[in-house]
Amino acid sequence: MFENKEKKSCISNLTVLITVIVFSVVNMGFTYFAVLQNEYRTYGWAENYEKVLLVNKAQYDSTLGKMSKSEIAEQIKKATGSEVAEQHPTASDTKLTKEDLVVKTPIEGVENAKYSIYDFTDLECPYCKQFHNSGLVKEVLAKDGQNVNHIIRNFPLESIHPGARLKAEASLCVAEVSWNEKYFEAVDTLFNKSTGHSKDSVLADLTAIWVDNAKLNECLTSGKYSETVNSDLTLWAKMWVTGTPSVYVVNNETGAFVKLSSRSVEAVEEAIKNI
């Protein structure tokens, strides 16, 4: 009798275990499918999405790798009208000026923090989206929010991401019409829910932000934040940023800066020690 009960108990436990495993696999499959479908919608379905990944991989792994520093500098000069440092600058040989440190975009965290995380990003770059969704910035701010803040620096790669500059300007327009309150919500929406590259589609994507749509349209049509984006382009030329995302820690008192060696809280803490 006891053995039968024990067997029934084992069978019952095994049934529960199998059910849990099956449910987990199905749930993982559904989540993967849902995420993938969202990616497809964002970039024009499967074929275009695959093209985006291939183009990004080609750019980051091949194109930049094959170009010399002087060739990259020449490309940056053509794009921005700014000279770029001959060598990759570090905190020891290059510092940002007071003018460079002027922030024209909303700040996440304490405004007068000693250190800033500069996040050079492209709102249509899949790798930037991965970094944005990684939670690293929020983890750093939660741990050391009185000492560190977060600033997005725009790096729109229009040659492969046709709506990148438009989305950068649109996010800044959201900041204007919401008194800076919904800027980072707009960035999150454009990374994760955007479905097109035209002005109309971007405005439609941003309806979920609940701002004055008429004012948002007026702001975006005016192109008033084009110069703000250009100022970021000039800055990344000086800091020798060659791809997205590129993440730096900047000392706002001295202008010293260092590029993160890895995407981790520990890397941010180590960078702070060195500048």
Side-chain angles (χ1 to χ4, degrees), residues 4-272:
N4 287 337
K5 286 184 178 180
E6 191 174 58
K7 287 180 180 179
K8 287 181 180 179
S9 177
C10 289
I11 292 173
S12 177
N13 290 338
L14 181 60
T15 302
V16 171
L17 179 60
I18 292 173
T19 302
V20 170
I21 292 173
V22 170
F23 177 80
S24 298
V25 171
V26 170
N27 186 54
M28 289 171 63
F30 176 78
T31 300
Y32 173 78
F33 179 78
V35 170
L36 189 61
Q37 288 301 302
N38 184 57
E39 292 292 283
Y40 284 172
R41 282 193 297 272
T42 299
Y43 295 102
W45 299 104
E47 184 178 355
N48 281 347
Y49 177 66
E50 291 172 2
K51 287 180 181 178
V52 168
L53 294 183
L54 288 172
V55 168
N56 275 281
K57 183 173 178 57
Q59 181 192 22
Y60 300 132
D61 297 342
S62 300
T63 306
L64 291 178
K66 291 179 180 179
M67 292 175 68
S68 66
K69 289 183 177 180
S70 61
E71 288 172 331
I72 295 174
E74 184 62 28
Q75 292 298 315
I76 292 174
K77 183 178 179 180
K78 286 180 180 179
T80 67
S82 303
E83 296 285 353
V84 68
E86 292 183 1
Q87 296 182 345
H88 190 158
T90 64
S92 61
D93 58 28
T94 302
K95 291 184 178 181
L96 300 179
T97 65
K98 289 184 178 179
E99 184 178 0
D100 294 329
L101 292 169
V102 173
V103 179
K104 299 178 180 179
T105 56
I107 295 172
E108 185 174 18
V110 177
E111 186 171 337
N112 61 349
K114 182 177 180 180
Y115 300 97
S116 291
I117 296 174
Y118 277 18
D119 174 8
F120 287 89
T121 197
D122 175 319
L123 293 176
E124 289 191 339
C125 166
Y127 301 108
C128 298
K129 177 181 175 180
Q130 289 176 7
F131 175 73
H132 174 78
N133 292 336
S134 71
L136 171 61
V137 169
K138 293 188 182 303
E139 191 175 350
V140 171
L141 296 186
K143 188 174 183 179
D144 196 14
Q146 294 303 309
N147 202 39
V148 186
N149 61 29
H150 171 227
I151 299 169
I152 289 178
R153 295 293 190 178
N154 294 289
F155 191 114
L157 302 172
E158 294 179 89
S159 60
I160 58 172
H161 299 144
R165 174 179 277 271
L166 176 70
K167 290 177 181 178
E169 293 182 24
S171 65
L172 293 168
C173 282
V174 169
E176 177 183 307
V177 300
S178 69
W179 299 93
N180 287 350
E181 288 184 7
K182 297 190 176 183
Y183 173 72
F184 288 97
E185 185 180 349
V187 169
D188 185 69
T189 296
L190 292 171
F191 265 132
N192 293 298
K193 298 178 182 178
S194 185
T195 56
H197 312 294
S198 69
K199 187 184 80 168
D200 287 344
S201 68
V202 170
L203 288 171
D205 293 332
L206 292 173
T207 55
I209 303 298
W210 296 104
V211 295
D212 188 319
N213 288 334
K215 289 184 178 179
L216 180 59
N217 183 32
E218 181 182 352
C219 174
L220 188 55
T221 301
S222 73
K224 65 191 299 182
Y225 285 105
S226 177
E227 194 55 43
T228 302
V229 174
N230 288 341
S231 68
D232 282 349
L233 294 175
T234 301
L235 184 60
W236 62 251
K238 183 171 185 176
M239 296 175 74
W240 194 259
V241 181
T242 56
T244 55
S246 286
V247 186
Y248 292 75
V249 175
V250 178
N251 185 321
N252 293 311
E253 295 180 356
T254 67
F257 62 89
V258 63
K259 189 173 185 178
L260 285 192
S261 57
S262 64
R263 309 276 166 74
S264 66
V265 175
E266 292 73 23
V268 174
E269 292 173 340
E270 184 63 26
I272 287 174

